[in-house]
Amino acid sequence: MGGQVLRLQDVAVRRDGAALLRGIDWTVHEDERWVVIGPNGAGKTTLLQVAATLLYPSEGQVEVLGEVIGQTDVFDLRPRIGLASSALAERIPQDEKVIDLVLTASYAIIGRYSEEYDSNDVTRAVELIDMMGAAHLIRRRFGTLSEGERKRVQIARALMPDPELLLLDEPAAGLDLGGREDLVRRLSHLAQDRRSPTLVLVTHHVEEVPTGFTHGLLLRHGSVVAQGPLDHVMTADNLSRTFGVPLTLDRSAEGRWYARAY
Ligand SMILES: Nc1ncnc2c1ncn2[C@@H]1O[C@H](COP(=O)(O)OP(=O)(O)O)[C@@H](O)[C@H]1O
Ligand SMILES: [Mg+2]
């Protein structure tokens, strides 16, 4: 067990009288790979925004990378945290080239640039794009990419500043079956690589949980249903309670999960 990357104590988030999150206690250690699973509206994105220091909780204490939020300058913390989400993807200019999009991540900006890039940065960007299976797309403009290609490029971008924590909000959303399987396989490799940052992956499909992920937090109506090592958390009973429907759960020989209603 490595150091603590995230520590939430009794965290609540309220907006316009609605409790988006409540009573969240959650600790993530360095070498862990977490999935956050829950139905639409459960509060998954809200939880990720708290972890990304983009949202300050209404109650409770949040520690990210050893710093207490509210007692530290979040602008020093944010470069140490990678985030990929569809909300961020929408802000990417359509005419941005893939290589530039990944390179500019070192400078935490989106859009056209005038900086001179270090050749080490260029090498790293190319390696990350290649690792995500997008080497052939390097000169393409973001707007011309398929949904799956966009997700992979976005993850390369999020990895570019070598973050200590990588947060992925529904990276497989909108992908076709082939695209999903390709992404899940790459995330599985990332999870199993000891040099990877601490990972937190949000999804509402258990089929999207890559092998190599170690822990799970199940969320419903802003509260934790269960959390801990995936082997303990992933039960038909826990998932049924999380999604509010009776579910059966199977696991393949490779360690992938499959759920269906009965
Ligand atoms: N500004 C807001 N005011 C009130 N409710 C909100 C606001 N933003 C989000 N919500 C609600 O909070 C709940 C949790 O949202 P979210 O974290 O995006 O869930 P998830 O990512 O699990 O789908 C949803 O029911 C959503 O409608
Ligand atoms: Mg969401």
Side-chain angles (χ1 to χ4, degrees):
M1 199 185 282
Q4 285 179 3
V5 173
L6 278 177
R7 184 155 191 239
L8 278 62
Q9 292 173 80
D10 204 19
V11 162
V13 172
R14 273 188 296 273
R15 282 269 178 80
D16 309 321
L20 278 54
L21 293 174
R22 58 194 138 188
I24 307 284
D25 292 310
W26 183 32
T27 304
V28 170
H29 296 97
E30 218 166 72
D31 45 5
E32 295 170 350
R33 282 85 175 87
W34 281 75
V35 283
V36 174
I37 302 176
N40 287 323
K44 303 181 299 296
T45 295
T46 305
L47 182 62
L48 224 51
Q49 285 184 317
V50 170
T53 77
L54 298 172
L55 186 63
Y56 192 79
S58 317
E59 266 174 42
Q61 179 165 290
V62 177
E63 275 175 64
V64 181
L65 299 167
E67 305 287 340
V68 178
I69 304 306
Q71 298 173 19
T72 190
D73 187 346
V74 289
F75 292 97
D76 293 334
L77 265 181
R78 284 182 192 159
R80 300 167 62 193
I81 305 165
L83 173 65
S85 71
S86 49
L88 283 176
E90 279 166 20
R91 289 169 41 201
I92 296 171
Q94 298 293 297
D95 61 351
E96 181 88 349
K97 283 201 178 119
V98 166
I99 181 68
D100 295 336
L101 184 60
V102 174
L103 269 170
T104 54
S106 324
Y107 304 86
I109 52 166
I110 297 178
R112 297 186 182 283
Y113 64 97
S114 55
E115 292 86 3
E116 286 294 313
Y117 289 114
D118 192 282
S119 67
N120 292 326
D121 285 349
V122 177
T123 305
R124 176 171 172 77
V126 171
E127 279 171 3
L128 289 170
I129 292 167
D130 187 38
M131 183 183 86
M132 291 312 294
H136 59 298
L137 303 171
I138 218 149
R139 305 257 159 243
R140 287 265 295 275
R141 295 183 190 279
F142 191 72
T144 70
L145 304 181
S146 73
E147 202 60 39
E149 291 166 346
R150 288 173 189 226
K151 301 284 182 183
R152 297 195 324 251
V153 167
Q154 252 200 296
I155 294 171
R157 176 181 162 87
L159 285 166
M160 182 66 194
D162 198 15
E164 290 155 74
L165 172 63
L166 179 62
L167 308 168
L168 302 172
D169 196 351
E170 302 207 22
L175 302 191
D176 64 24
L177 186 54
R180 180 191 83 181
E181 288 302 296
D182 180 79
L183 185 69
V184 167
R185 184 161 36 86
R186 289 181 199 281
L187 292 175
S188 183
H189 290 155
L190 197 62
Q192 286 165 53
D193 189 335
R194 284 179 35 229
R195 294 163 301 176
S196 294
T198 307
L199 299 172
V200 178
L201 167 74
V202 162
T203 180
H204 50 212
H205 289 302
V206 299
E207 291 77 5
E208 291 173 3
V209 177
T211 54
F213 275 68
T214 60
H215 289 71
L217 182 145
L218 305 186
L219 203 60
R220 175 175 179 77
H221 293 329
S223 298
V224 175
V225 174
Q227 62 168 315
L230 272 177
D231 292 342
H232 296 153
V233 165
M234 291 290 270
T235 66
D237 187 50
N238 282 342
L239 278 178
S240 301
R241 283 196 288 142
T242 303
F243 286 91
V245 280
L247 295 167
T248 59
L249 182 67
D250 294 307
R251 196 175 191 186
S252 72
E254 309 84 67
R256 294 278 299 279
W257 305 93
Y258 302 89
R260 60 201 136 68
Y262 65 86

